[in-house]
Amino acid sequence: MNSKRIGILTSGGDCPGLNAIIRAVVKAAELNNWMVYGLPYGTDGFRDIAEKKYAPKEFLLTRKCYELPGKIRGLDVLQFFSGTILGSINKGDPNDPRVKAAILKGYGMLALDALIAIGGDGSLDIIYDLAKEGHWNIIAIPKTIDNDVPLTEFSVGFSTAVEIVTQALYDLTFTAASHNRIMIVEVMGRDAGHLALRGGIAGGADIILIPELTPCLSLDVLDGCCHQLLELQQSDRHFGLLVIAEGVKNKSNEKESYIGDYLKRQIKEYIGFLYHEKHKNFAQLKDLDMRVTVLGHLQRSHPPVAWDRLLATAFGIKAIELIKEKKYDRLVIWKRGEVSSDSLSEVIDIIKKRHKDKVCTSPVESDDCMLKTARSLGIYLGNG
Ligand code: F6P
């Protein structure tokens, strides 16, 4: 059998399922008698080789590296853990010519047949440029809780984050109901609303604000939120769940550090305005009690749910298959119920263009079936 040397790295923000990809790649590679080099901290690992901080053999990954020892030896637990055993970096653009030269040199010293790069839109964009310059045989695997890598329906990590948002809404429901409160839950997603939309529906939200439909908190949106809250009160439900994606901007169209907190203040102010303008009905909202929860990095660190493990494993195996077939420059994707691959250069072209235009790389599209689902449930979605 033709032995190969392949590299694997994780780049960008971590998310659940990265270790499951690594595990699948190592297992499948071992079955083929290939060697897998795990690069620590993304492309920084290549610099370490070039600068002789480590010898290549120190990066060798085998199942023995992560199986548990002692009487439970052989227990292969890697896919259950979040994070990444390789470490990751989500800043640093190798624009510095010396950094770039060291990365390219390190790659050459490892004499890899191919590299599996696991990343999101930002990190894959950077790695792709290096790969082009260094003539690397690259396969990319999409991961991000934001689910905003173009051309794939799912990225690894997304489903677990949806689960966390769903669970958080459930956990907040009972305290909200006990105190007649409105719970505002701020979720991640950078510029994309996939996580807020899906987590919000599954968690029973009454209002979901995502950047695709509510780019900023205009008076219209505040008005819509207040009417929805009033309707809840009038329907004898004295609590409510409001989900806002971090990508929604303030009324001046600027990013807020904590948009959930800003929204709370704006709703309070707007209710005051409505009340003073003698919209008598809104008197019911005058003493509305609101609390804000920012889910933050809890959305990134939970053990991967079954679907993320399956997706990660199928993606890892597909990457090995592509290398076997010498089909490089591919992005592994999930489309119409199965794993496949698409041209990485085409995906990167889309990403670069959208980065240049400062728009979301893969937003919630207006024909997303979950938008219709939410509307049909009476969930207020902002302007959309
Ligand atoms: O892109 C993934 C993501 O988790 C976003 O949802 C979030 O805005 C960002 O990363 C946070 O990154 P950091 O790790 O720098 O806090």
Side-chain angles (χ1 to χ4, degrees), residues 13-14 90 143-146 148 188-190 246 297 300:
D14 72 322
N90 66 353
K143 63 85 221 173
T144 165
I145 64 163
D146 303 349
D148 60 354
M188 280 187 170
R190 208 182 26 184
E246 63 177 346
H297 293 80
R300 293 227 308 238

Side-chain angles (χ1 to χ4, degrees), residues 19-227:
N19 286 326
I21 306 175
I22 297 168
R23 168 184 176 265
V25 165
V26 171
K27 273 194 150 187
E30 279 189 359
L31 289 173
N32 285 292
N33 285 324
W34 296 0
M35 282 189 292
V36 182
Y37 291 88
L39 282 303
Y41 300 105
T43 48
D44 271 7
F46 292 125
R47 280 171 70 190
D48 290 343
I49 292 286
E51 289 160 10
K52 299 207 163 60
K53 286 192 190 142
Y54 299 97
K57 68 171 192 301
E58 289 178 80
F59 289 174
L60 262 180
L61 276 180
T62 65
R63 283 167 64 183
K64 289 273 169 283
C65 301
Y66 54 76
E67 283 178 354
L68 292 181
K71 294 295 178 212
I72 50 170
R73 66 181 167 271
L75 199 59
D76 173 3
V77 289
L78 194 57
Q79 67 162 329
F80 308 142
F81 298 135
S82 225
T84 160
I85 56 166
L86 296 175
S88 191
I89 40 166
N90 66 353
K91 48 182 173 302
D93 186 348
N95 272 332
D96 178 336
R98 275 177 312 179
V99 171
K100 195 199 273 184
I103 293 172
L104 295 172
K105 184 175 170 199
Y107 187 95
M109 286 166 73
L110 275 175
L112 297 177
D113 291 294
L115 173 70
I116 298 174
I118 307 166
D121 63 318
S123 49
L124 290 181
D125 183 3
I126 294 169
I127 292 173
Y128 184 75
D129 288 345
L130 287 164
K132 233 166 100 182
E133 193 159 340
H135 306 287
W136 303 351
N137 295 326
I138 187 168
I139 306 289
I141 297 183
K143 63 85 221 173
T144 165
I145 64 163
D146 303 349
N147 214 32
D148 60 354
V149 174
L151 305 189
T152 182
E153 288 166 16
F154 286 104
S155 288
V156 172
F158 173 62
S159 302
T160 307
V162 171
E163 194 66 38
I164 297 303
V165 175
T166 306
Q167 182 65 40
L169 289 172
Y170 173 79
D171 291 343
L172 288 166
T173 298
F174 298 92
T175 176
S178 305
H179 290 275
N180 293 347
R181 278 178 175 155
I182 304 301
M183 294 296 185
I184 297 178
V185 181
E186 179 183 318
V187 310
M188 280 187 170
R190 208 182 26 184
D191 314 313
H194 303 280
L195 181 54
L197 179 64
R198 278 156 175 80
I201 295 172
D206 304 291
I207 296 174
I208 303 174
L209 301 177
I210 59 173
E212 291 86 343
L213 300 182
T214 304
C216 69
L217 290 174
S218 61
L219 285 183
D220 270 5
V221 174
L222 291 176
D223 196 66
C225 288
C226 290
H227 276 87

